[in-house]
Amino acid sequence: MGTGRARVAASVLDADLANLAHDVRRVARAGADRIHLDVMDGHFVPNLTFGAKTIKALRRATEIPFDAHLMISEPGRYVEEFIEAGCDSITFHVEVDDPIAPVLETIRAAGLASGLAIRPGTPLDALEPYRDLLDIVLVMTVEPGFGGQSFRRDAAQKILPARDLLRHKPVGGEVHVDGGVNRETAEVVGGLGADVLIVGSALFTKGHDMGREIRLIKALADEGYQYQLNEGVPPIPRDNWVTIVQLPKALARRFMDEIEAGGIPVLMLRGDGSINPDGVRDYDVMVPATVEALTLERHAEARARFVAEADAWRASFGTGAG
């Protein structure tokens, strides 16, 4: 689990393919948040890597999420295989000739995060017809197909407007950036609002400490976000949760359902406050800290209503009512 905002997905394209499971475990121990798997078919891009069978075999090597990037011409033909292989998210390219919406729907129906990637020369509005089916927008800052290319700043300018395509997901929508991401470019993409930095060759460069490299890239990305987009305030860590109210169990459950209907995840945990007249402590209703303000804005009236209902319920014990 990370402590800041930025996440690193380790691309294993430049790993030791003769000992891939070892390198997957190594980047997981070094602090990578997920494994990025570049699948190439030699047709959509002029390179050939591995397929679903390799991913399925690797799935046993680690429990951290697998993020598949399909650089293939026919994602619809093979998507079920990648779902069955154990991927947690699947992204493919908007430039394919295959029908796109049915593939995204298949991925989401399987409970996975679905995404579309765009080449540097593809305009961002190519994704507009599919915005409601997107959990991930992958901005390519190199031409797909080979590792080790130089970062393209012009392509990176799509990162910030890409966030607008994910407005329907207050939590869970992610902009990924792939291509030439390293310690020199991390602050740039962080300052444009990238959520997940896909890092490959920088992690497997001889002489580099992989764990230090991951920590440095995350820190630089967070610094870029802090000073370019957040008025100098450090970003809220993605893994932080906050309590927005304490309520009796039944009321906490109803409030939780109301919040989750709007796409915000909720935890309901027994709190450590005072004990209610029925002998049970209030439950903490908790949301991710990154959406605390949004939750309170959306549900201020409901929160006040549930607090008032809780107070009336507690008072009823003193009067003998109920």
Side-chain angles (χ1 to χ4, degrees):
M1 301 285 279
T3 56
R5 178 184 184 278
R7 295 287 178 263
V8 165
S11 169
V12 294
L13 193 61
D14 291 305
D16 180 1
L17 297 183
N19 202 2
L20 194 51
H22 171 266
D23 274 358
V24 164
R25 286 190 288 265
R26 190 158 70 98
V27 294
R29 287 195 301 269
D33 299 287
R34 59 192 78 176
I35 303 297
H36 184 81
L37 299 151
D38 290 303
V39 178
M40 307 181 193
D41 62 359
H43 184 262
F44 182 77
V45 291
N47 201 358
L48 193 64
T49 55
F50 43 76
K53 287 186 178 180
T54 299
I55 294 173
K56 187 173 184 178
L58 284 175
R59 184 67 278 183
R60 299 191 296 270
T62 182
E63 294 183 356
I64 69 172
F66 275 10
D67 173 37
H69 176 193
L70 307 186
M71 289 171 269
I72 63 178
S73 296
E74 300 179 90
R77 180 177 178 182
Y78 298 105
V79 67
E80 294 282 3
E81 294 181 26
F82 290 98
I83 291 170
E84 293 172 6
C87 297
D88 297 276
S89 57
I90 298 176
T91 299
F92 61 99
H93 275 261
V94 72
E95 299 92 356
V96 298
D97 293 329
D98 259 11
I100 289 174
V103 183
L104 294 171
E105 289 166 351
T106 298
I107 296 167
R108 293 188 117 199
L112 280 59
S114 64
L116 285 175
I118 51 172
R119 295 177 183 262
T122 302
L124 194 61
D125 58 14
L127 305 183
E128 184 64 38
Y130 314 107
R131 67 156 61 219
D132 291 340
L133 296 172
L134 294 177
D135 303 296
I136 295 168
V137 173
L138 171 53
V139 175
M140 297 293 299
T141 45
V142 298
E143 285 297 332
F146 295 94
Q149 297 180 62
S150 297
F151 176 79
R152 288 183 53 174
R153 286 178 178 262
D154 60 327
Q157 299 309 309
K158 297 174 188 172
I159 294 171
L160 188 55
R163 301 207 55 78
D164 189 56
L165 290 165
L166 300 170
R167 282 182 303 173
H168 61 288
K169 289 190 68 68
V171 177
E174 296 177 336
V175 177
H176 295 202
V177 58
D178 186 3
V181 179
N182 52 40
R183 62 172 74 176
E184 283 76 34
T185 57
E187 189 171 353
V188 174
V189 299
L192 291 167
D195 300 294
V196 177
L197 286 65
I198 298 166
V199 186
S201 54
L203 300 182
F204 296 98
T205 300
K206 188 175 181 180
H208 280 200
D209 181 311
M210 187 179 288
R212 181 177 183 276
E213 205 70 21
I214 291 172
R215 291 191 298 273
L216 181 59
I217 287 169
K218 288 182 180 181
L220 287 167
D222 281 351
E223 189 170 297
Y225 181 89
Q226 175 178 343
Y227 290 106
Q228 295 300 317
L229 297 178
N230 214 38
E231 300 179 339
V233 179
I236 298 171
R238 290 188 185 275
D239 296 332
N240 283 14
W241 289 67
V242 294
T243 299
I244 59 168
V245 71
Q246 292 182 316
L247 293 168
K249 184 176 182 180
L251 297 178
R253 172 70 65 180
R254 284 166 49 197
F255 194 26
M256 179 181 76
D257 291 344
E258 185 171 321
I259 296 169
E260 287 191 332
I264 296 174
V266 179
L267 288 177
M268 196 181 93
L269 301 175
R270 184 173 294 181
D272 56 2
S274 58
I275 299 175
N276 282 311
D278 64 352
V280 179
R281 293 185 188 276
D282 278 345
Y283 277 71
D284 292 343
V285 178
M286 305 178 72
V287 299
T290 53
V291 289
E292 178 185 10
L294 175 64
T295 306
L296 293 175
E297 177 185 334
R298 284 184 177 180
H299 300 283
E301 291 184 7
R303 181 179 180 276
R305 185 178 71 249
F306 280 114
V307 169
E309 191 172 341
D311 289 342
W313 172 75
R314 294 185 188 104
S316 71
F317 279 83
T319 63

